[in-house]
């Protein structure tokens, strides 16, 4: 992907774990000892195997209300899920 680089006039051979900021990509790249890979942590989210897993915070989701049949167990579970998503900062409060 990226060849070994030059810094300060000296040739640098990349080793496993070397992490460099790459300006034209807007995020770091990491060398695994064989090749360069995009860093999992980027400004727009967190990636696993190149797939975005976590992105920007989403708007709040309203809890269950109304309806003709009230299922208190389901409403409790939904409320708990929403609370955890908010606690982790994945959705707004």
């Amino acid at each position: 992907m990226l060849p070994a680089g030059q810094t300060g006039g000296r040739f640098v051979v990349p080793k496993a774990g070397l992490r460099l900021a790459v300006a034209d990509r807007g995020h770091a790249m990491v060398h695994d000892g064989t090749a360069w890979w995009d860093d999992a942590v980027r400004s727009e989210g967190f990636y696993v195997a190149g797939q975005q897993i976590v992105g920007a915070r989403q708007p709040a989701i309203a809890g269950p209300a109304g309806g003709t049949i009230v299922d208190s167990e389901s409403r409790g579970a939904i409320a708990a899920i929403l609370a955890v998503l908010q606690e982790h900062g994945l959705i707004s409060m």
Side-chain angles (χ1 to χ4, degrees):
M1 189 173 275
L2 293 176
Q6 238 182 337
T7 179
R10 293 186 293 163
F11 185 73
V12 177
V13 177
K15 296 186 179 188
L18 179 62
R19 179 181 313 270
L20 297 173
V22 181
D24 65 342
R25 289 182 182 248
H27 60 268
M29 295 193 72
V30 181
H31 200 272
D32 67 2
T34 306
W36 288 96
W37 297 93
D38 292 305
D39 194 9
V41 179
R42 305 179 203 169
S43 61
E44 72 276 6
F46 179 76
Y47 291 74
V48 174
Q51 182 176 1
Q52 186 175 9
I53 302 300
V54 179
R57 178 182 289 178
Q58 299 298 304
I61 300 170
T68 57
I69 299 174
V70 176
D71 182 342
S72 59
E73 290 82 11
S74 294
R75 287 179 185 232
I78 292 168
I81 292 167
L82 292 175
V84 170
L85 291 172
Q86 290 170 343
E87 184 178 322
H88 284 283
L90 297 174
I91 60 173
S92 299
M93 295 198 176

